[in-house]
Amino acid sequence: MTAHVIADDAEALAVAAALADEFRAGASARDVERRLPRAELDRLSASGLLAVTVPADHGGADVGATTLAEIFRLLGTADGSLAQIPQSHFAYVNVIRRQGTEEQRKFFFAELLAGRRFGNAQSEAGTRHVQDIRTRLTPRADGSYVLDGVKHYSTGALFADWIPVLARAEGDALHVAYVPRDAAGVTVVDDWDGLGQRTTASGTVRLDGVEVPADRVLPHHLTFEGPQLHGAVAQLLHAAIDAGIAGGALAEAAEFVRTKSRPWFESGLETAAEDPLLIQRFGELAVQVRAAEALLREAARTVEAARAELTDDSAAEASIAVAAAKVQAANAAVEVASALFEVSGTRSALNSLNLHRYWRDARTHTLHDPTRWKIQHIGRYVLNGTRPPRHGLL
């Protein structure tokens, strides 16, 4: 595979905007047919967007968090499923940036610049909670490992060149094993049947005696020793997806009301778009979307400031800013996607129009991690100065 190498932030944003327009055209049909976006992901890889966080000294654009968040927001306005697929890709690029050896960085950054994709295999089902990871890396005499386990919600794994696998090794320490998608013992099952984000292929990954060389394993547990931005960046991208879905739903609703909705007979107006009650509601929804977008930008700037001078305090500020952005974006996505029907009228509920995909995508994606806990951490920080925990979900 060959890929274009993006030069800077401005080019990255231009490419993302162009691809969002391209992907928007087929988003509804892909959702209805559950047609997996292989061709679209190949376009994403070839565009160079998946390598934009490769450091400059390795040939990448090394874009900032503000640009990265905007890339995901733009993609989210077009297709809430497609935008979700590369989220873990960038999270595991960050693991290499932070914990990889120079040789590991050199190898994987070259893979990224060539257009290779990371999936993920991190969550497990039937365990006590989301951080109860039971997949094991068993050491061998020659320094390599054997990997065994079953993963669920493995977004992107079906389309990946490399699958980063979260696993426990010696002393139960958390590691990431980067495994080729076609490695012996790896089985990816397309059994995702969520009501929304239907084309993410977030299915099951089975790992049966997979041999992993020592130089493909990174000590992820070290990420959380000392101040870190791993969780803040990962959550920033989730917030960007939600903000994108909200913006996409608002644009869809406005277009529908302008071109298809009939005015309510009591209004005495010629068009629905002139109805002052609808105008009021659109104004309220626009405020929700603008607030989500503003908090997203503020969170990204706070992450960038923390990255420039990383301390316990700056990392805490970044996590809290991202948490606030995620709460607002999640609320806006669900509210606006639901209000789409309220403002558009009965016809908008026709299954054939598939306008409900915005709500289904929003409702599904916002379940990723509960905003009620983010509000708790924000409250503790504001009231008592308690820094948020370093568990990777803040």
Side-chain angles (χ1 to χ4, degrees):
M1 180 183 293
T2 59
H4 173 68
V5 177
I6 288 175
D8 53 28
D9 293 66
E11 184 184 5
L13 291 174
V15 170
L19 284 179
D21 287 341
E22 181 181 324
F23 296 158
R24 184 176 291 109
S28 181
R30 286 192 296 273
D31 177 83
V32 168
E33 301 165 13
R34 198 177 176 271
R35 175 159 41 88
L36 300 182
R38 296 182 187 276
E40 288 76 14
L41 286 169
D42 286 343
R43 290 278 293 120
L44 195 62
S45 290
S47 76
L49 275 184
L50 296 182
V52 293
T53 58
V54 170
D57 58 359
H58 285 268
D62 201 9
V63 304
T66 301
T67 295
L68 189 61
E70 180 63 5
I71 288 170
F72 274 80
R73 190 196 68 81
L74 287 167
L75 294 175
T77 66
D79 186 335
S81 285
L82 190 53
Q84 176 65 30
I85 293 170
Q87 189 274 337
S88 291
H89 169 95
F90 283 99
Y92 285 105
V93 173
N94 282 344
V95 174
I96 294 168
R97 288 186 59 137
R98 187 170 172 91
Q99 300 303 337
T101 64
E102 185 55 35
E103 284 303 309
Q104 287 170 328
R105 292 189 186 108
K106 181 178 179 181
F107 173 80
F108 280 115
F109 291 155
E111 287 285 281
L112 294 167
L113 290 169
R116 305 285 190 269
R117 294 192 290 265
F118 291 165
N120 95 84
Q122 50 188 18
S123 293
E124 300 178 11
T127 56
R128 289 182 58 247
H129 50 69
V130 70
Q131 293 205 324
D132 182 13
I133 303 297
R134 301 181 185 183
T135 298
R136 302 298 305 188
L137 275 166
T138 303
R140 304 169 76 186
D142 63 359
S144 65
Y145 295 86
V146 175
L147 180 63
D148 293 281
V150 179
K151 298 290 189 175
H152 299 269
Y153 312 116
S154 302
T155 303
L158 192 68
F159 315 112
D161 299 289
W162 292 89
I163 303 176
V165 180
L166 213 53
R168 303 282 181 187
E170 301 95 326
D172 276 350
L174 203 59
H175 289 67
V176 178
Y178 290 75
V179 178
R181 163 70 178 81
D182 58 359
V186 175
T187 304
V188 181
V189 184
D190 179 23
D191 56 0
W192 169 245
D193 66 347
L195 67 87
Q197 295 195 305
R198 298 183 67 231
T199 61
T200 60
S202 300
T204 300
V205 174
R206 301 186 185 281
L207 307 146
D208 298 308
V210 180
E211 297 182 5
V212 185
D215 62 358
R216 297 293 178 262
V217 177
L218 278 72
H220 192 32
H221 59 100
L222 297 180
T223 300
F224 307 104
E225 294 183 5
Q228 52 85 30
L229 297 172
H230 179 82
V233 173
Q235 290 295 305
L236 182 72
L237 302 187
H238 283 304
I241 294 167
D242 288 339
I245 293 171
L250 184 62
E252 188 83 66
E255 176 66 14
F256 194 95
V257 170
R258 283 193 299 264
T259 61
K260 297 182 178 65
S261 294
R262 298 183 297 178
W264 184 243
F265 74 95
E266 292 179 285
S267 72
L269 298 169
E270 290 296 318
T271 68
E274 297 173 278
D275 184 339
L277 298 180
L278 284 181
I279 289 170
Q280 174 73 20
R281 188 63 175 129
F282 268 96
E284 293 167 352
L285 297 174
V287 168
Q288 292 297 315
V289 173
R290 284 174 176 256
E293 293 171 351
L295 283 172
L296 182 69
R297 290 190 294 270
E298 176 63 21
R301 287 192 291 266
T302 307
V303 168
E304 289 176 349
R307 181 170 284 154
E309 189 173 348
L310 188 59
T311 65
D312 285 332
D313 287 338
S314 67
E317 277 289 331
S319 288
I320 293 300
V322 171
K326 182 65 170 66
V327 170
Q328 176 61 28
N331 290 342
V334 173
E335 180 181 355
V336 177
S338 177
L340 186 158
F341 303 99
E342 170 197 336
V343 297
S344 300
T346 305
R347 185 181 175 189
S348 65
L350 292 176
N351 196 54
S352 58
L353 295 178
N354 196 32
L355 295 180
H356 47 69
R357 72 180 176 90
Y358 292 99
W359 183 86
R360 290 187 289 103
D361 285 348
R363 184 65 282 175
T364 300
H365 183 251
T366 54
L367 299 176
H368 187 274
D369 47 276
T371 56
R372 60 186 177 273
W373 275 98
K374 296 184 186 303
I375 292 171
Q376 283 283 311
H377 292 304
I378 294 168
R380 291 184 183 126
Y381 184 74
V382 170
L383 184 60
N384 300 315
T386 305
R387 295 190 189 111
R390 297 171 178 160
H391 55 42
L393 292 173
L394 277 167

